[in-house]
Amino acid sequence: MKVYAGVDPISGKRHYLTETIPAGRTAAKEAEKARTRLLAQVDERRNPRTRATLDQLLDRWLEVADIEATTRMGYVNKLNKHVRPVLGKLPVGRLDAETLESFYASLRRCRDWCGGKTYVKHRVEGDHRCTAKCQPHVCKPLSASSVRQIHWILSGALSRAVRWRWIAVNPAGQAEPPAPPHPDPQPPNPADAARIINEAWRDPDWGALVWLAMTTGARRGELCALRWHHLDLAAGVLTLRRSAYLDDNCELQEKDTKTHQQRRVALDPETIEVLTELHARYVDRLAQLDATADPADYVFSPEPDNSRGYRPDTITQRYGRLAKRIGIDSHIHALRHYSATELINAGVDVRTIAGRLGHGGGGTTTLRVYAAWLSESDQRAAGTLAARMPPRPLAPTQRTVVSGPYQTIAAELREQIANGRLRPGDQLPAVAELAAAHGVSVGTAHRAVALLCDVVASRGVV
């Protein structure tokens, strides 16, 4: 039984729904039922209108999808490396949740889709003489984060296919991707941060870039696109408007920041001095070249006249070599983590931190990624609360153990009362006097007097 179902939008050919009916006495009746059912599917548009493959869908989707250049490059790389070789020839109508989940599981076992087979991974294709670089294949799983990204890319393409009525339902909506990984930022500790700065300052211009990345938390693309007119050193404000990236032809281009927002970041006096010295070196170089300063010149540049900005991957590679020289496992984005965690530990509110880093959602991303790094702040909070707690009552048979300065002061006052040096009706020394005599804070002296509540009346009278 064959029913006409329209024209294939990809190939332009007529498309039919077919079903085979076994021969027999009831074949005519069963064929009529099948015909009615297939016609209903065509009328209700519940059938795939195309026999296009997933490759054809992805090509068409990438043509019409409104995606930023850097995002598009990431999508294309993931699709070409992981999706197209395995699922590309599969008709879109045959793609289901089971197929997708099996595909995700295979990627989690081996990113090269080896199928559990052993083989030698050659350094080059074709006939050649093997060297030490031709090694047996070792399975390396694709991270859960990358598999989830692939899932959402496919989900977007298949959702568009449903909208175009190529398929009835989105199979990615029924498939379950791997659980999101737990955020685990690895910022350098203060000691490592000092080593990084000292090593970077062998080249003062490079040191200024690393310093600004630490103090502002700017992304590497934002630093590459930074120009002198974005800096107001008199007011101590840095404006981040653009971000640099490489296009398909490896040409340096600029676009909006990641969250499409312009943000103004306040600069501390030390950072202002660093940038002032950087600008002075820039002006000196221009004087040697008989050139004039241009506010549109880049702040950080490999050229003497700052006419061209750094490539983002150049900054990543140079920082990686720096970290390797001093024996630190770090990457350039870790400086952004450093800025965030240090601000959190200093007690700065989350909305302010999110504003400096350019996080969206009013701080949701900041808390989700950096909540695990609140331990130092949490310890300070515990200490602050403990200092404000009233003294813990002791059982009558429990012996007082002197362990803190305020307990030492309280023990001395009790001894003076017991020896008669302070008699009933006498006034205790003032809290300020106790603090000065024992070299402690007024709050500590006040806690000492509070421990004597059983023998001291109001207003400090014994």
Side-chain angles (χ1 to χ4, degrees):
M1 175 60 59
K2 181 183 293 186
V3 173
Y4 175 68
V7 178
D8 190 315
I10 296 296
S11 63
K13 297 180 180 180
R14 295 164 65 89
H15 181 47
Y16 293 89
L17 298 182
T18 60
E19 185 171 330
T20 301
I21 308 299
R25 290 182 300 175
T26 61
K29 184 181 296 185
E30 294 298 328
E32 185 61 31
K33 290 182 180 178
R35 175 178 176 275
T36 303
R37 183 171 60 255
L38 295 178
L39 285 173
Q41 290 183 10
V42 174
D43 291 340
E44 297 174 9
R45 297 185 182 273
R46 288 188 289 107
N47 62 292
R49 291 179 54 210
T50 178
R51 292 179 181 175
T53 63
L54 182 60
D55 273 344
Q56 292 172 308
L57 170 62
L58 294 175
D59 291 337
R60 179 61 177 156
W61 174 65
L62 289 172
E63 287 178 7
V64 301
D66 184 14
I67 308 173
E68 281 194 357
T70 51
T71 304
R72 180 183 295 274
M73 290 172 59
Y75 284 6
V76 170
N77 289 338
K78 286 183 172 61
L79 291 173
N80 291 344
K81 182 173 178 60
H82 302 295
V83 179
R84 292 184 187 269
V86 181
L87 301 178
K89 304 303 180 183
L90 188 69
V92 178
R94 291 180 54 192
L95 200 61
D96 55 18
E98 181 182 2
T99 302
L100 289 176
E101 291 183 358
S102 177
F103 172 62
Y104 300 154
S106 297
L107 290 177
R108 294 302 308 275
R109 288 192 294 269
C110 180
R111 65 180 65 189
D112 292 328
W113 193 265
C114 67
K117 299 179 181 179
T118 58
Y119 65 95
V120 175
K121 194 170 185 179
H122 296 280
R123 59 186 177 87
V124 294
E125 297 181 358
D127 295 335
H128 67 281
R129 179 175 295 178
C130 290
T131 65
K133 293 184 178 179
C134 297
Q135 297 286 338
H137 167 71
V138 178
C139 291
K140 294 181 180 179
L142 197 63
S143 68
S145 176
S146 295
V147 177
R148 285 178 62 84
Q149 291 176 22
I150 291 173
H151 169 78
W152 295 120
I153 294 171
L154 290 175
S155 180
L158 293 168
S159 177
R160 191 67 64 96
V162 174
R163 192 182 312 166
W164 292 338
R165 296 180 179 174
W166 289 17
I167 54 177
V169 294
N170 183 351
Q174 301 172 338
E176 183 177 358
H182 181 71
D184 185 25
Q186 296 291 335
N189 57 44
D192 286 343
R195 295 173 60 195
I196 291 170
I197 288 295
N198 290 334
E199 180 67 21
W201 226 267
R202 292 185 178 185
D203 177 358
D205 288 3
W206 171 244
L209 187 150
V210 174
W211 179 279
L212 195 64
M214 280 188 174
T215 55
T216 64
R219 300 178 178 91
R220 63 171 190 170
E222 295 168 346
L223 293 173
C224 292
L226 191 62
R227 300 173 186 263
W228 286 113
H229 62 74
H230 295 151
L231 284 172
D232 187 350
L233 297 180
V237 175
L238 165 67
T239 303
L240 296 171
R241 300 173 180 267
R242 307 287 287 171
S243 180
Y245 72 97
L246 294 178
D247 61 14
D248 294 336
N249 299 320
C250 290
E251 296 292 335
L252 194 63
Q253 305 290 343
E254 291 187 11
K255 63 179 184 64
D256 288 342
T257 59
K258 184 175 181 179
T259 53
H260 304 282
Q261 62 178 347
Q262 166 187 314
R263 64 185 192 275
R264 295 163 60 86
V265 180
L267 303 175
D268 61 276
E270 190 73 19
T271 301
I272 294 174
E273 185 175 349
V274 168
L275 294 175
T276 301
E277 294 174 356
L278 177 67
H279 187 267
R281 292 193 295 272
Y282 155 71
V283 173
D284 289 343
R285 287 195 303 271
L286 291 180
Q288 297 174 15
L289 297 170
D290 293 330
T292 57
D294 186 349
D297 283 344
Y298 290 92
V299 176
F300 303 108
S301 171
E303 302 293 337
D305 59 353
N306 287 40
S307 59
R308 176 173 61 89
Y310 274 112
R311 292 162 52 115
D313 55 349
T314 299
I315 291 182
T316 299
Q317 294 166 9
R318 186 171 181 179
Y319 181 84
R321 292 193 298 268
L322 181 153
K324 186 176 181 180
R325 283 198 305 271
I326 60 178
I328 296 176
D329 183 14
S330 181
H331 51 84
I332 188 67
H333 201 73
L335 300 185
R336 183 170 165 84
H337 297 325
Y338 172 84
S339 179
T341 52
E342 290 301 310
L343 289 174
I344 289 177
N345 287 331
V348 180
D349 66 278
V350 174
R351 289 187 64 87
T352 300
I353 299 172
R356 287 181 66 90
L357 298 180
H359 283 159
T364 303
T365 302
T366 310
L367 281 178
R368 178 176 57 83
V369 176
Y370 300 103
W373 291 89
L374 294 173
S375 58
E376 184 178 336
S377 300
D378 195 42
Q379 291 172 2
R380 279 204 307 272
T384 301
L385 184 60
R388 294 179 176 271
M389 289 291 291
R392 178 171 57 89
L394 299 178
T397 58
Q398 186 175 358
R399 183 178 177 182
T400 302
V401 179
V402 178
S403 60
Y406 69 96
Q407 292 176 331
T408 302
I409 298 173
E412 291 181 2
L413 292 175
R414 284 183 182 277
E415 185 178 356
Q416 293 178 20
I417 294 172
N419 294 338
R421 294 170 58 187
L422 287 175
R423 299 182 179 182
D426 290 349
Q427 185 78 28
L428 286 178
V431 171
E433 296 176 1
L434 289 173
H438 292 82
V440 297
S441 66
V442 173
T444 301
H446 190 274
R447 290 189 65 184
V449 174
L451 288 179
L452 304 175
C453 58
D454 56 336
V455 294
V456 176
S458 61
R459 300 181 182 274
V461 178
V462 178

